[in-house]
Amino acid sequence: MEIGAQTVILGGSVAGAGPFIAQGAVVVDAGRILWVGPQADLPSDYASWDMLDLEGRLLTPAFIDCHTHIVHGGHRAREFEMRLEGASYEEVARAGGGIVSTVTATRDADEDSLVASALPRLDALIGEGVSCVEMKSGYGLDREVELRMLRAARRLGDLRPVRIRTSFLGAHATPAEYKGRDDAYIDEVCIPTLRAAHAEGLVDAVDGFCEGIAFNTVQIARVFDVARELDLPVKLHAEQLSNIGGCALAAQYGALSVDHVEYATEADAKLLAASGTVAVLLPGAFYAIRETQMPPVAAFRAHAVPMALATDCNPGTSPMTSLLLAMNMGCTLFRMTPDEALRGVTEHAARALGLTDTGVIAPGMRADLAIWNVETPAELAYRFGFNPLHQRIFGGKE
Ligand code: DI6
Ligand code: FE
């Protein structure tokens, strides 16, 4: 199916435009959505425009993967085997594996090979209707390689029709050369590198890993203070393995999102609701490390905390490149509804990135759309290991 600059999409159902529309129409003009509603109400002015017939298919906003570490060197299949032999994620990390082993592999990779190794992962996401991918640094942990990762992320956006948002994650782990000197790492490397990356236009948001095996709230706050000074939004890996106050800190800084949040409490949910922070649930990591603590989905729901879903695509705890699978896991493992899962990879994922022009089908929004070989939104979350994408539309183009 061809799509012209001025096109009316009709003949199927539409989700992600407010209430589900069983027989809907969407008018696209120059890459933007001009009109959406029931087909029966379509204004006659558009009668002469190009038509794209859904032939009964479902139209949704294109998907957004709002949390990935897709740029990285190497893989950690050996660590996977170690965990199968009984080691925990924390034990592997303390034994010099974990994040730090990917740091070695990433430092050994030049920019071209970082781009080349990330491309198939990015293509897998795009092949499932993804129009926007967040990518973090955090496996360089020195100035040169953190910048290299962010430059590679930007280049990926030039190589493919996809929007890239970058997050600076210098506060991901302390590298071997600073072992035992976490504060010195934050002050001497992380913060100056953030300033340099920002000066080069490489940073859309600032992230951190707030955890017993990573950084405490005082250290993260020092990084967030610099983000504030640079007028950059913040987000935080919080409450993944324990609760050390990450959500409360993030809420205090008006964070776009807190991510993982298995160990968040109802009190955290209240704070997040008040600060308008999105809870990004990452069921791939939950599954891969066989976590048993469930994120407080009922509390998030009760307090109207928006929930997003993402792949957390990374070589250690979530070597996953499927948002459709994340949707299924969000429902099966976390008891989200299929409707919450769909909003989690569209509307709320956009919000977790601070994007206001995508993620919903509404007049004025970018025409980032996905057409699926299914009849109902629930089918997207229900199957797993199956890709029903028919066509992806990015900024009004196929
Ligand atoms: N939490 C995660 O799940 C990833 N990073 C983080 O802060 C794991 C990263 C890794 O193990 O390489
Ligand atoms: Fe992560």
Side-chain angles (χ1 to χ4, degrees):
M1 286 190 284
E2 282 291 307
I3 175 157
Q6 295 190 317
T7 297
V8 182
I9 306 173
L10 42 64
S13 52
V14 177
F20 179 70
I21 309 172
Q23 275 294 323
V26 174
V27 178
V28 175
D29 184 15
R32 296 269 164 179
I33 291 157
L34 197 56
W35 187 90
V36 55
Q39 195 173 316
D41 299 346
L42 182 69
S44 56
D45 326 9
Y46 306 123
S48 62
W49 289 26
D50 289 351
M51 299 279 166
L52 191 154
D53 189 354
L54 294 170
E55 295 170 334
R57 297 184 180 92
L58 170 72
L59 181 75
T60 70
F63 286 1
I64 296 165
D65 195 349
C66 67
H67 181 140
T68 87
H69 309 251
I70 208 165
V71 174
H72 59 258
H75 66 80
R76 305 233 292 273
R78 174 61 200 136
E79 186 175 306
F80 174 64
E81 292 177 312
M82 279 171 71
R83 288 210 307 273
L84 288 172
E85 288 155 13
S88 72
Y89 179 55
E90 276 165 298
E91 282 161 1
V92 169
R94 290 192 196 284
I99 294 173
V100 171
S101 74
T102 297
V103 171
T104 305
T106 304
R107 286 178 176 181
D108 286 344
D110 62 16
E111 192 180 309
D112 286 347
S113 49
L114 287 178
V115 169
S117 65
L119 262 180
R121 297 189 277 266
L122 177 60
D123 286 340
L125 292 174
I126 292 171
E128 283 190 356
V130 169
S131 65
C132 178
V133 182
E134 185 260 15
M135 300 183 181
K136 302 176 193 298
S137 69
Y139 288 124
L141 309 182
D142 65 25
R143 183 180 177 123
E144 188 188 333
V145 186
E146 286 292 300
L147 293 176
R148 188 190 299 161
M149 288 183 75
L150 295 168
R151 290 186 197 120
R154 288 275 195 250
R155 264 179 62 194
L156 287 162
D158 297 332
L159 291 171
R160 291 292 185 269
V162 70
R163 198 166 173 191
I164 305 294
R165 302 298 284 179
T166 53
S167 298
F168 175 77
L169 181 57
H172 194 196
T174 299
E177 63 273 20
Y178 274 88
K179 198 171 164 79
R181 296 188 298 133
D182 300 349
D183 285 300
Y185 169 73
I186 292 286
D187 297 331
E188 293 169 20
V189 180
C190 180
I191 288 173
T193 301
L194 167 57
R195 290 184 188 283
H198 173 65
E200 210 179 300
L202 292 171
V203 185
D204 297 319
V206 176
D207 198 349
F209 188 18
C210 187
E211 191 55 65
I213 57 169
F215 298 100
N216 62 37
T217 52
V218 177
Q219 291 158 340
I220 295 291
R222 286 216 298 284
V223 179
F224 280 5
D225 283 337
V226 176
R228 188 176 266 176
E229 179 202 317
L230 300 175
D231 209 18
L232 290 169
V234 299
K235 43 183 48 252
L236 191 62
H237 288 67
E239 273 69 84
Q240 181 186 8
L241 308 168
S242 61
N243 190 317
I244 62 164
C247 285
L249 177 83
Q252 206 182 307
Y253 281 81
L256 290 174
S257 72
V258 285
D259 302 48
H260 291 285
V261 294
E262 279 88 341
Y263 288 81
T265 61
E266 173 139 29
D268 290 324
K270 286 185 193 165
L271 294 173
L272 297 173
S275 61
T277 301
V278 177
V280 178
L281 308 185
L282 304 168
F286 175 93
Y287 166 83
I289 65 175
R290 302 178 82 218
E291 178 59 69
T292 53
Q293 174 79 25
M294 292 263 279
V297 165
F300 292 148
R301 208 179 268 142
H303 295 285
V305 176
M307 290 181 277
L309 281 165
T311 62
D312 194 16
C313 176
N314 79 69
T317 59
S318 193
M320 173 162 91
T321 49
S322 170
L323 269 183
L324 285 166
L325 181 56
M327 288 171 77
N328 175 269
M329 288 175 160
C331 296
T332 302
L333 298 175
F334 295 162
R335 315 317 287 168
M336 294 171 81
T337 66
D339 183 56
E340 286 171 334
L342 180 58
R343 292 179 81 190
V345 297
T346 55
E347 181 182 349
H348 294 160
R351 192 164 154 185
L353 298 178
L355 297 175
T356 54
D357 62 352
T358 191
V360 295
I361 302 177
M365 304 296 269
R366 283 172 55 93
D368 294 336
L369 303 165
I371 301 171
W372 305 94
N373 284 313
V374 305
E375 291 171 2
T376 61
E379 285 178 76
L380 296 175
Y382 144 77
R383 293 191 183 86
F384 49 96
F386 180 70
N387 179 6
L389 184 74
H390 174 71
Q391 187 178 342
R392 189 192 74 128
I393 297 168
F394 177 67
K397 293 200 179 72
E398 228 177 312

